[in-house]
Amino acid sequence: MSVEQAPVQRADFDQVMVPNYAPAAFIPVRGAGSRVWDQTGRELIDFAGGIAVNVLGHAHPALVGALTEQANKLWHVSNVFTNEPALRLAHKLIDATFAERAFFCNSGAEANEAAFKLARRVAHDRFGAEKYEIIAALNSFHGRTLFTVNVGGQSKYSDGFGPKITGITHVPYNDLAALKAAISDKTCAVVLEPIQGEGGVLPAELAYLQGARELCDQHNALLVFDEVQTGMGRCGELFAYQHYGVTPDILTSAKSLGGGFPIAAMLTTEELAKHLVVGTHGTTYGGNPLACAVAGAVMDVINTPEVLNGVKAKHDRFKTRLSQIGAKYGLFTEIRGLGLLLGCVLSDAWKGKAKDVFNAAEKEGLMILQAGPDVVRFAPSLVVEDADIDQGLDRFERAVAKLTQA
């Protein structure tokens, strides 16, 4: 029996929610595949993917089935107990990666928090209390907790919350000489995104990641890859480190891992994992049976040659058309990224106006993203149909045409 819900509208947000977000003027209420409908019945094509989360689009039958089945069995027991979906998911992730141990939590920030704590604990146990320094990249993004926002290399997110966490250094991304100058025997970890997502969809150079791996080995530091945005097939491999052939000591995953259901994971080796003994870290909801059941279904769909190879083909389809639009209208100068994480860098005349492009696209029935003020970001479903790609980019071109003619 359904219960009648009280009507709500966008204006309610400003009355009842903390004002740390500025959501769009419409409210999505239903999704199917790469299509979304708002309260008025207007249809939009979704190239935003919930910020690289809805990896299989909306209401994918495999995910709906996994969630429904688990919802009729067991919702939550806490980590006082374990559960079958969590163990199955751990096996799937371990079998598909370098990892030998998994830790489940609820968000990318929590996965990174666990990774940074593990790195410091390993260094403390092996080398003593003075080896705790972390090196990260300028313009990086690792989450919104106090620890992760300080490791992230964007002061606009970390300023104004009291004293900064000490022992964190930031160096320019893709600058191996700067990393070499900063690293020392006090460094416990180097933290990098294989592609800087919020920092502008900027891929790492292969030599940079290879050099970071070598420097970490030389200084007994751990290499941590934040794959919250790049993981789960987003770049055409299950994880971006597999594209580069550079293996980290610790890897974090979230966003696409649950296909829209909140879940995150920290993956590492048995040798490192043993430093988080009982009581050193935890989470009430981490490894929740509902979340793990859905993530297991996500893994089953994504980790196949058909889907991963399809991501690479869809990348080419996006990039070809976006390049044509860029050349025709002079709105952006470069298209970068891997797989279905793409960033269009705005031309000098349009610097700082990514929000204007976002708004113009929405008016044409297209949901996209920004990556800072100068980059328009696309992170659609990995199984977005070619017809949706073509129609969505038609809408994008109409938006760009109106914007450049205004």
Side-chain angles (χ1 to χ4, degrees), residues 207-221:
Y208 179 63
L209 296 186
Q210 290 174 332
R213 175 72 274 175
E214 292 171 4
L215 287 170
C216 285
D217 292 342
Q218 291 169 17
H219 292 275
N220 292 312

Side-chain angles (χ1 to χ4, degrees), residues 143-198:
R144 298 282 194 163
T145 66
L146 196 57
F147 195 174
T148 59
V149 84
N150 275 270
V151 175
Q154 301 187 58
S155 60
K156 65 183 179 181
Y157 294 135
S158 59
D159 288 350
F161 296 101
K164 300 292 182 70
I165 293 175
T166 58
I168 300 169
T169 301
H170 296 100
V171 295
Y173 190 66
N174 270 332
D175 188 335
L176 190 57
L179 179 58
K180 187 174 183 179
I183 198 168
S184 74
D185 288 339
K186 289 186 176 182
T187 304
C188 74
V190 173
V191 180
L192 296 171
E193 299 163 273
I195 300 177
Q196 285 195 332
E198 300 296 325

Side-chain angles (χ1 to χ4, degrees), residues 86 89-94 97-99 101-116 118 224-229 231-232 239 250-258 261-268 281 283 286-288 291-292 295 299:
L89 177 59
H91 275 295
K92 289 175 182 179
L93 288 166
I94 287 167
T97 68
F98 75 95
R101 294 289 187 271
F103 168 81
F104 294 125
C105 46
N106 311 290
S107 68
E110 289 181 53
N112 283 329
E113 185 90 11
F116 306 158
L118 174 59
V224 180
F225 279 174
D226 177 343
E227 293 228 34
V228 168
Q229 193 157 164
M232 295 304 295
F239 289 101
I250 304 172
L251 180 146
T252 57
S253 176
K255 287 191 180 289
S256 294
L257 180 58
F261 202 102
I263 185 172
M266 177 188 72
L267 305 178
T268 190
H281 192 58
T283 163
N288 174 275
C292 290
M299 277 286 293

